Amino acid sequence: RKKCLLCNNLLMIVAASIMGCSKIAQSFEMILIGRFMCGISAGKCTGLCAPLHHQYVGEISPRKLRGFANSTSSFFWSLGKAIGQISGQRELLGSQSLWPMLMASCGLPALVQLVTLPFFPESPPYLLMHKGDEEGYKKAIRQLWGEGHHQAEIDDIMKEKATMKNTKILSVLELMKEQAFRWQLYMIVILTATVQLCGINAV
């Protein structure tokens, strides 16, 4: 989980650097490439950031804070849009000379996360269920939640591990071929494709 987030931040920094240098290089193609890379990294529907954020933050949070932690992504989406719109005013970074800095500013949050994330442990459920690293799992629990009593969270993870033993993990291709999931898949694709039309961005 953590490695994916770090790689995703590197992608965003590269995208920000390309867009920031577009004026010097006199290349509008660099803006297109940078925006495309931003979409892969942090796009609301197709980006890597949203599912990775939910997965990592949800897994490292204690059970009583999990709902609150998962709701932070919506808050930061809205905050980012507001900051972007304010920064884009002509009086700030929206001027003819400063717009490359505005384009490159998306790399700043990625840089902050790239510097701070290595000090956080890997997700405890990932360490236990996928890596089988019980010692690393206990160390991550202690680092994240302190030395207190966390038996309820540990029991949840152990139950999930027991459930996963009897669950077949499908690849993307197998999922697309599976008849039982066909209608669910259609619904997800339609909802994702049309979410931009629902007015949420205006709200």
Side-chain angles (χ1 to χ4, degrees), residues 1 42 58 64 66 68 94:
R1 311 287 192 251
K64 61 184 178 182
R66 205 162 290 156
F68 169 76

Side-chain angles (χ1 to χ4, degrees), residues 47-189:
L48 299 169
C49 186
L52 286 171
H53 173 92
H54 280 296
Q55 198 166 26
Y56 183 69
V57 171
E59 288 181 0
I60 66 170
S61 304
R63 189 166 57 172
K64 61 184 178 182
L65 296 175
R66 205 162 290 156
F68 169 76
N70 275 326
S71 69
T72 57
S73 64
S74 300
F75 170 75
F76 284 114
W77 276 116
S78 303
L79 184 65
K81 285 182 179 183
I83 291 171
Q85 288 175 354
I86 293 165
S87 303
Q89 299 299 311
R90 286 198 183 105
E91 293 79 9
L92 297 172
L93 297 178
S95 65
Q96 192 170 354
S97 58
L98 294 176
W99 67 261
M101 287 179 64
L102 178 65
M103 299 292 284
S105 64
C106 61
L108 189 61
L111 184 63
V112 170
Q113 195 175 71
L114 197 65
V115 171
T116 57
L117 198 58
F119 297 101
F120 285 79
E122 184 54 90
S123 155
Y126 173 77
L127 288 171
L128 184 64
M129 292 192 287
H130 297 279
K131 293 288 186 182
D133 183 4
E134 287 195 32
E135 195 55 44
Y137 160 76
K138 289 174 184 174
K139 186 179 174 184
I141 288 277
R142 285 194 298 270
Q143 189 177 342
L144 287 164
W145 304 340
E147 297 290 342
H149 187 68
H150 306 294
Q151 195 57 44
E153 284 87 355
I154 293 166
D155 289 343
D156 280 350
I157 295 167
M158 296 306 288
K159 281 178 193 172
E160 193 176 341
K161 186 181 180 184
T163 306
M164 279 187 70
K165 283 183 181 177
N166 305 318
T167 305
K168 185 187 174 187
I169 306 297
L170 298 175
S171 68
V172 175
L173 192 60
E174 287 172 334
L175 181 67
M176 291 172 74
K177 287 179 179 177
E178 187 65 51
Q179 289 281 350
F181 301 129
R182 192 63 52 82
W183 280 105
Q184 292 93 321
L185 198 61
Y186 288 156
M187 286 179 70
I188 289 168
V189 169

Side-chain angles (χ1 to χ4, degrees), residues 17-28 30-31 99-100:
S17 302
I18 290 171
M19 290 189 294
C21 296
S22 60
K23 187 178 181 183
I24 297 168
Q26 296 184 338
S27 169
F28 72 89
M30 289 174 72
I31 298 173
W99 67 261

Side-chain angles (χ1 to χ4, degrees), residues 4-5 7-16 18-19 31-53 77 106:
C4 285
L5 282 166
C7 292
N8 190 46
N9 288 320
L10 281 172
L11 180 65
M12 181 59 87
I13 289 168
V14 171
I18 290 171
M19 290 189 294
I31 298 173
L32 297 177
I33 292 165
R35 290 301 298 159
F36 179 73
M37 290 172 72
C38 278
I40 293 171
S41 175
K44 195 166 187 180
C45 299
T46 55
L48 299 169
C49 186
L52 286 171
H53 173 92
W77 276 116
C106 61

